Structures are given as C-alpha cells and as structure tokens.
Amino acid sequence: MPATEEARARLAAIPNLTVIGGAPLSRYTRFGIGGPADLYAETGDVEAFVAAVGAARASGLPTVVIGGGTNLIVSDAGFRGIVLRYRGERIWASGNCVFVEAGAGLGDLVDFTVERGLRGLETLAGIPGSAGAAVYGNAGAYGHSISERVAKVRFFDGREIREFDNAACRFEYRESVFKKRKEWIIFSFELLLEPADAAELRATAEGIVKIRNEKFPVTMKCAGSIFKNLMLKDLPADVAARLPAGVAREGKVPAAWFLEQAGAKGASRGDIRVADYHANLIYNAGAGTAADLAALIAELKSRVREQCGIELEEEVQYVG
Ligand SMILES: Cc1cc2nc3c(=O)[nH]c(=O)nc-3n(C[C@H](O)[C@H](O)[C@H](O)COP(=O)(O)OP(=O)(O)OC[C@H]3O[C@@H](n4cnc5c(N)ncnc54)[C@H](O)[C@@H]3O)c2cc1C
C-alpha cells in the first residue's frame, strides 16, 4: 500500500481524531495561500494526538504541526506528508495561576485573564492565533511577551510528555526552545499573573485592539510582521552609529525602519503587496501565491542587505 494510504488507514483507526485527505492548506492559513496536505489530522484529545504522532512516525511520512495558521507561509505545492493540529482549548484558573491548553485562542486566553482581573497578558490583546503557538514563538506586543508570565509548559517530545519551567524554555525575543525543536508539541501551559482591576485591564486591552484593527484590518490576509525586529546590541557598530535618534526603542530596532530605507513600502509581486503605510506588513490582495510571497521576501531581504548592510530574519514560519 502507498505510504499515504497506509498512514491514512492508521490515523483513521485512532479514536477522536479527525482525518482529512488532500486538505487545502489555504483554508488553514490567514494568508489564504497554500496547496493541499496529503493528510491533515486534528484532535482535542492528548492521547489521540500522541497516537497520531506514533502513526505518522510508523508511516515514515514527514509531519508538521500547525496552530491557527496566522504566522505560516505554506508552499503552493502544499505539504507532502501529515499536518497535525492539537485543538484542546480549555482555560481554567486557580488563584493567580491560569492553565491553558495549546489549542485555545490567544484572544480567548487574554479575555479570560482580563475578565478575572489578572494582569500580565492585556498588552497581547488582538494578537491572532493559538495559545500554544504564542509560547512557541514567544508572541508579544507593546513591550511585553508571553514569556514574562509562563511558569510551566507541558509538551510531547515524540516519546513522552514532559514539563519545562520558564528557564528551560529558553525564551528570547520571538524565540523559544520549541522553535529549535520543531518536533516537540506543546499541549498546555501555566501562567502566573497578578491581581488587578478588571476595568483597567479591559480599557488597556480595548485601546490596543482598536489601534491594531486599524493597522491590521481583520479581513487582511497577512501574517502580521513578516520580519523580526533587530536587537540593537546585535547590529554592526557602523549600522548602529548611523541610526537616527529615537529609532531604537527598548533595545530593539524595527525591521520596518530598514525596510523603509530600502523603499519597501508599496512594493509588490503579483497580488502580494507591501502595505503602503507599514514596510514590514506584506499581504495577499486576492490571488497571491506562495511563490510571489517568497520572491518578494527574498527581494526585500536583498535590498536591505545591500543598502543597510544587515540581514533580516523572517518571523513567519514556512511549511512545504
Ligand atoms: C494581523 C496579525 C498580527 C500579528 N501581530 C503579532 C504581534 O503583535 N506579536 C506577535 O508576536 N505575533 C503577531 N502575529 C503573528 C502570529 O499571530 C503569532 O505568531 C501567533 O502566535 C501564531 O499563532 P498560530 O496559532 O496562528 O500559529 P501558526 O501560524 O499555525 O504556527 C506558527 C508556528 O507555531 C508552531 N506551533 C503551533 N502550535 C504549536 C504547538 N501546539 N506546539 C508546538 N509548536 C506549535 C507551528 O509549527 C509553526 O511553526 C500577528 C499575526 C497577524 C496575522
């Protein structure tokens, strides 16, 4: 039996697992781009997910884990293998501790903490995607990242379920150990927050969402910022010395500043465009392709390399 058929049969035998053959990944990404996955499987059940990883391994097919698809560029050819998604989405609290399953929406998690008067996640309001991927990529905004509040992370390393404390997660700006070990799958995590006035937290969150919705309209097919911002301490001395006052904030230099110097605003390839108001925002204006997206990203990186002498790094993750 061909490997895909064999894998499909193995996956179909797992209780509580939904399996789809030839799933069009454009439906699972905010860019609305991406060809089919040979197989797509999802579940909110840890046991079923672990069994699915075992079945995938036995089939020898490549696997990839996705969340809400808000930070993904999936190739036009799709993914020759198995796409897995963990959908457990419970959120509960005990005192100042909040427990969350990785498939919960980050927005639902933020709302939950705000409504309970727990401070710590309110500046993350409006960041789309799942809670698990937020830990994977150490999502953050307005000077704060989720890592500041993560106490423990429970994950599957392919053999067993393990737990890491904050230090073991090796969080950095938009980085964690999970980004380096892509075969590790986050199932749940625990946050430690502080009591605060719910109305004050709500006002902060609502103010941020209002600003964000102007920058990233909810229907915009994009991934937020394409490139990571740069750490001032990592810039070549001559580049840092040429920065106008005020460009670096909290030790970071916006990638958008370098992109603007390179004339990125308004650049395009086919239906893939750089926003004319934000040089680090690329969107699909309709029928954009992953090929055009990748080509535009490569062009912008090369322009910034030549004109500014620095190498931009993508925040988005590639599949296929
Ligand atoms: C409009 C817009 C604005 C954004 N603004 C911000 C912002 O301000 N700050 C910010 O940090 N990000 C921002 N983002 C990026 C994005 O929302 C985050 O990266 C988000 O955490 C991705 O979540 P997701 O569930 O969609 O993950 P996906 O895009 O599906 O996956 C991203 C990565 O996470 C991995 N992953 C997913 N789930 C798991 C899991 N359970 N275990 C292990 N790995 C997993 C995947 O393998 C993949 O490599 C923005 C995106 C958009 C579209």
Side-chain angles (χ1 to χ4, degrees):
M1 207 190 311
T4 305
E5 282 315 304
E6 193 189 316
R8 187 177 187 142
R10 284 180 201 266
L11 291 170
I14 299 171
N16 301 320
L17 188 75
T18 303
V19 185
I20 303 170
L25 293 175
S26 55
R27 283 200 208 143
Y28 296 82
T29 61
R30 170 127 172 194
F31 263 122
I33 287 174
D38 289 340
L39 291 167
Y40 169 91
E42 66 170 37
T43 179
D45 183 79
V46 165
E47 238 177 86
F49 195 95
V50 168
V53 172
R57 189 182 301 141
S59 73
L61 292 177
T63 59
V64 68
V65 175
I66 65 165
T70 65
N71 210 24
L72 295 181
I73 298 179
V74 178
S75 97
D76 298 315
F79 185 68
R80 300 290 68 78
I82 307 169
V83 173
L84 296 170
R85 184 171 179 190
Y86 176 64
R87 301 294 302 256
E89 53 186 29
R90 283 177 306 163
I91 306 172
W92 67 101
S94 168
N96 299 341
C97 278
V98 171
F99 305 86
V100 55
E101 291 184 316
L106 180 63
D108 293 336
L109 174 61
V110 172
D111 289 349
F112 179 95
T113 60
V114 165
E115 289 315 315
R116 267 165 189 72
L118 291 170
R119 184 194 305 284
L121 296 189
E122 62 284 356
T123 64
L124 275 52
I127 301 180
S130 63
V135 168
Y136 165 96
N138 191 13
Y142 292 89
H144 295 281
S145 299
I146 198 163
S147 60
E148 291 164 37
R149 301 294 173 168
V150 172
K152 285 180 188 149
V153 178
R154 201 164 150 262
F155 66 98
F156 182 55
D157 72 359
R159 285 190 314 277
E160 56 177 345
I161 293 175
R162 294 164 61 187
E163 196 171 89
F164 271 178
D165 65 9
N166 184 294
C169 293
R170 305 216 310 263
F171 288 118
E172 285 174 48
Y173 168 67
R174 299 293 176 272
E175 283 293 336
S176 76
V177 69
F178 303 102
K179 235 177 176 175
K180 292 174 181 85
R181 301 296 302 263
K182 291 188 190 284
E183 73 282 14
W184 289 0
I185 295 128
I186 299 166
F187 279 141
S188 59
F189 58 94
E190 194 180 314
L191 299 158
L192 193 54
L193 303 169
E194 288 158 33
D197 176 37
E200 183 208 315
L201 299 177
R202 200 176 304 123
T204 303
E206 283 174 2
I208 287 174
V209 168
K210 190 166 176 287
I211 297 169
R212 293 184 66 98
N213 285 347
E214 280 162 19
K215 187 163 150 192
F216 308 113
V218 286
T219 52
M220 183 180 251
K221 296 174 167 187
C222 67
S225 298
I226 285 286
F227 299 105
K228 288 182 182 177
N229 292 328
L230 295 108
M231 305 306 285
L232 183 59
K233 68 176 172 50
D234 297 336
L235 288 183
D238 59 322
V239 175
R242 284 200 304 270
L243 286 176
V247 170
R249 267 175 293 154
E250 291 157 3
K252 290 195 209 83
V253 185
W257 187 81
F258 293 105
L259 288 158
E260 267 180 49
Q261 312 313 304
K265 278 182 177 171
S268 67
R269 284 235 181 181
D271 259 0
I272 300 293
R273 300 189 187 149
V274 180
D276 53 15
Y277 59 91
H278 185 3
N280 195 9
L281 173 58
I282 299 185
Y283 65 98
N284 173 8
T289 63
D292 279 342
L293 186 48
L296 187 55
I297 288 172
E299 183 192 323
L300 297 180
K301 284 176 84 165
S302 142
R303 282 201 213 175
V304 168
R305 193 181 305 123
E306 277 162 30
Q307 294 185 32
C308 309
I310 57 149
E311 191 64 33
L312 291 181
E313 188 189 340
E314 289 94 321
E315 187 174 319
V316 282
Q317 306 286 297
Y318 292 93
V319 172

